[in-house]
Amino acid sequence: MHALFTGLARFMAVLGGLVLTALILLTCVSILGRSLNGILHSDFVMGIAPDLAHWLIDIGIGPVNGDFELVEAGVAFAIFAFLPLCQITAGHASVDIVANALPRGANRFLRMVTEVVFALVLILIAWKLADGMLSKKGYGETSFLLEFPVWWAYAASLFGAVVAAIVGTYMAVVRVTEFLTGRILVWDGVETDQ
């Protein structure tokens, strides 16, 4: 069972990484285009090669139209795509100053409570994203420049949020079982042998 959820989490992380890589390339192309467009409009270039400058501007040398809209939607998806792997590997930041001094049973209780709270928060986020997506779809709201339906971005983020909620719920069940049985079912390097 753990291998299935780990595979799902890794798949989402790879998908998020691919989207993030595409967004980085898009941003670089847009910045390069914006810079070249500024150079082509400069008095120097217009003075020595006005025909070439106008031709390059006319074929579309410039920033990518709506780049910030695509980055906004894509980064939201990427964040939700990385959450399942972070959840299943206990990759969230933690402060263990007090927890390290506690006995094993107290640490297991804290881990269980933390996982249950994470699962509940992830479920709440997915639920509210679904509400937001349905609202945006109902109103027919579109982005300003590209005019793509805003609910598409919500749907992509919702996909990642639902997977994160599923993985978070699985990990909550694992940690509750560990607490109740006293056995460690999923070793992730955070356990203590006190």
Side-chain angles (χ1 to χ4, degrees), residues 1-162:
M1 181 71 94
H2 189 68
L4 172 72
F5 284 104
T6 302
L8 179 61
R10 285 189 176 140
F11 169 76
M12 289 300 295
V14 168
L15 195 57
L18 291 173
V19 168
L20 201 53
T21 301
L23 293 175
I24 291 168
L25 293 173
L26 170 75
T27 302
C28 290
V29 167
S30 188
I31 290 169
L32 182 63
R34 184 174 283 114
S35 298
L36 287 174
N37 188 278
I39 291 169
L40 293 173
H41 278 94
S42 70
D43 292 336
F44 176 74
V45 174
M46 285 294 187
I48 61 169
D51 293 335
L52 176 63
H54 285 297
W55 178 74
L56 289 171
I57 291 168
D58 289 343
I59 64 168
I61 299 293
V64 175
N65 187 34
D67 57 347
F68 64 92
E69 293 175 353
L70 294 171
V71 168
E72 180 180 37
V75 166
F77 167 76
I79 289 168
F80 285 109
F82 294 134
L83 276 176
L85 186 61
C86 192
Q87 191 69 25
I88 205 159
T89 60
H92 297 291
S94 65
V95 180
D96 297 332
I97 294 172
V98 175
N100 287 339
L102 298 174
R104 187 178 349 171
N107 274 318
R108 283 193 180 151
F109 177 76
L110 286 174
R111 289 194 77 198
M112 175 191 68
V113 169
T114 302
E115 291 290 350
V116 169
V117 169
F118 262 118
L120 292 173
V121 168
L122 290 170
I123 290 168
L124 177 65
I125 289 171
W127 172 30
K128 297 318 283 176
L129 264 174
D131 284 349
M133 181 194 72
L134 293 173
S135 173
K136 299 294 182 188
K137 187 175 181 184
Y139 288 120
E141 188 175 337
T142 61
S143 66
F144 182 68
L145 294 174
L146 297 178
E147 296 182 358
F148 68 82
V150 173
W151 74 267
W152 291 356
Y154 275 74
S157 294
L158 178 60
F159 174 65
V162 167

